[in-house]
């Protein structure tokens, strides 16, 4: 839930999920559409489907217990390197480098004297992060660096005067050279297929049963874009088209 989403938006949804589904077995027992429904407006709703598939695999393959081993976690549906490292480290105290956007930015500035990290995580970044891991307390170290990036070494307005490692920061000592790579552009949303998909999905989430096509047509005026977005939701498994022409959240 926290990937590319602020804590303030995630917290109420997470609390609802934990109350409704306190263990993987509880989530796995529900249709996948319920995971999508209770994902709410967090964005990237395919993550809800992946969490549901992951819960089913944990029940089927691990007796309902989330594995602690990094490699075993990676084998679960929807679990990538970041999530596997985060679970193995933060939940079980394992020694793993957890590289989110905030951590990568701290390392880029403090070690490489670069304002921003590359667009995609590189092998060099992983080697650096692993080399910096302490032998003891790696999980606490990971949380500390993550918080440093989220609260102090922020993307647009870093608070260098409040930074505990400012005296050793390579980027600060180099005079804070500006980013030399491609211009960083904010993501547009208004009028995009993503916004259209969100509108359509909101109709399906609010209805506890199949929805007629007219109810979906009413929330987006541009028909070609609307049909493209609806086809995309079906292809991604976020919606189902029934034989009577109605639509619903996935049940299987």
């Amino acid at each position: 839930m926290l990937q590319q989403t602020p804590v303030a938006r995630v917290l109420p949804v997470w609390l609802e999920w934990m109350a409704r589904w306190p263990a993987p077995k509880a989530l796995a027992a529900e249709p996948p559409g319920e995971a999508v429904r209770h994902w709410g407006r967090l964005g990237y709703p395919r993550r809800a489907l992946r969490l549901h598939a992951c819960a089913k695999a944990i029940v089927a393959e691990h007796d309902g217990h989330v594995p602690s081993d990094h490699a075993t976690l990676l084998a679960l549906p929807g679990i990538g390197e970041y999530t596997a490292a985060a679970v193995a480290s933060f939940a079980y105290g394992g020694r793993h480098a957890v590289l989110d956007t905030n951590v990568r930015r701290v390392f880029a500035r403090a070690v490489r004297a670069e304002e921003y990290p590359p667009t995609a995580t590189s092998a060099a970044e992983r080697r650096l992060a692993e080399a910096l891991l302490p032998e003891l307390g790696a999980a606490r170290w990971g949380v500390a660096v993550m918080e440093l990036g989220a609260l102090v070494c922020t993307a647009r307005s870093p608070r260098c005067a409040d930074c505990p490692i400012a005296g050793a920061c390579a980027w600060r000592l180099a005079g804070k050279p500006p980013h030399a790579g491609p211009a960083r552009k904010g993501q547009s949303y208004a009028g995009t297929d993503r916004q259209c998909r969100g509108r359509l999905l909101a109709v399906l989430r609010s209805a506890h049963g199949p929805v007629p096509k007219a109810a979906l047509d009413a929330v987006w005026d541009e028909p070609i874009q609307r049909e493209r977005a609806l086809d995309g939701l079906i292809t991604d498994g976020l919606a189902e088209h029934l034989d009577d022409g109605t639509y619903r959240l996935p049940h299987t």
Side-chain angles (χ1 to χ4, degrees), residues 107-133:
F107 289 162
R109 291 174 178 172
V111 181
R112 299 199 309 272
E114 298 171 0
E115 185 178 15
Y116 299 117
T119 303
T121 305
S122 66
E125 285 182 282
R126 295 193 187 282
R127 288 193 297 269
L128 172 62
E130 290 167 1
L132 292 172
L133 274 176

Side-chain angles (χ1 to χ4, degrees), residues 13 40 64 69 77 88 114 120 125 164 186 201 229 251:
V13 181
D69 177 69
E114 298 171 0
E125 285 182 282
L201 199 56
H251 276 226

